[in-house]
Amino acid sequence: MHPLLAAAQASVFHHLFVVDTSIIEKVARTVLVYAALILLLRFVGKRTLAQLNPFDLIVLLLLSNVVQNAVIGPDNSVLGGVIGALTLVGVNEIVVRASHRYPGFRAILAGRRARIVDGGRLDKGELRRSGIDEEELDQFAHVDDLETVQSMTLLPGGKIDVHLKSFAEPPTRDDIE
């Protein structure tokens, strides 16, 4: 084999499979960035997680690019990327399982419910704390008129739970009979 070809093959092998950063450092970087992003997204608000507008989507896409080097470090090997990905998926699985097992941990990570409409009255303070304006609320809730709403709660995952006033709810089978 020609020496240049052998050197090229060795270089390709090195770039693909030789991890230039220690595995412990790669795992630690991934865990730290994961924790930082969890905290960041937790304090940004529920709206960003479930009701993405184009600006939120752009921020999330750019955020992934910004933290890329913090996760993988100076290593660009395929094996290094796989180690980072495995760590990320593994840590996420641990966090998800822990949040199911320990409700207090889940509350810390996900936050609390926000009652936006109670007794048919809009709580503008709660709406503001949730990072949603009235126009967005109309779009997210899929309700023609807030007058028909008895209660509306923004859940920790970003979904909106709506209960209509009794006169606005569709009739049941018993009502029809």
Side-chain angles (χ1 to χ4, degrees):
M1 181 182 303
H2 192 274
L4 288 175
L5 183 58
Q9 286 178 338
S11 175
V12 167
F13 179 82
H14 178 81
H15 287 299
L16 289 176
F17 300 108
V18 176
V19 179
D20 292 333
T21 307
S22 76
I23 292 174
I24 292 173
E25 179 183 342
K26 192 162 291 298
V27 168
R29 284 172 167 270
T30 303
V31 170
L32 288 171
V33 170
Y34 177 85
L37 288 174
I38 288 286
L39 290 173
L40 177 69
L41 291 175
R42 163 67 173 88
F43 292 110
V44 165
K46 300 175 201 93
R47 178 179 124 334
T48 302
L49 300 177
Q51 311 296 341
L52 290 177
N53 64 40
F55 305 112
D56 296 331
L57 179 60
I58 289 168
V59 168
L60 287 175
L61 291 173
L62 290 175
L63 187 60
S64 68
N65 193 43
V66 167
V67 300
Q68 175 188 357
N69 289 338
V71 171
I72 64 169
D75 179 20
N76 287 322
S77 69
V78 171
L79 185 57
V82 169
I83 291 168
L86 287 172
T87 301
L88 187 57
V89 169
V91 168
N92 188 63
E93 188 63 24
I94 290 168
V95 168
V96 166
R97 288 178 185 260
S99 71
H100 287 287
R101 186 174 179 132
Y102 305 105
F105 182 62
R106 180 180 3 184
I108 290 169
L109 290 179
R112 62 176 183 77
R113 295 170 173 241
R115 181 66 60 111
I116 296 172
V117 176
D118 192 14
R121 300 183 68 124
L122 181 65
D123 184 338
K124 291 187 180 188
E126 194 65 52
L127 193 66
R128 188 174 39 259
R129 282 187 292 279
S130 298
I132 300 173
D133 62 31
E134 289 184 49
E135 184 177 309
E136 289 175 316
L137 181 64
D138 288 340
Q139 292 172 352
F140 300 155
H142 304 291
V143 175
D144 293 331
D145 186 5
L146 283 179
E147 297 288 323
T148 64
V149 176
Q150 176 62 33
S151 67
M152 186 180 299
T153 306
L154 181 60
L155 302 175
K159 293 182 181 176
I160 295 179
D161 185 26
V162 178
H163 294 275
L164 301 176
K165 291 180 180 176
S166 60
F167 67 84
E169 292 181 11
T172 64
R173 183 178 289 255
D174 292 335
D175 293 337
I176 295 171
E177 290 174 358

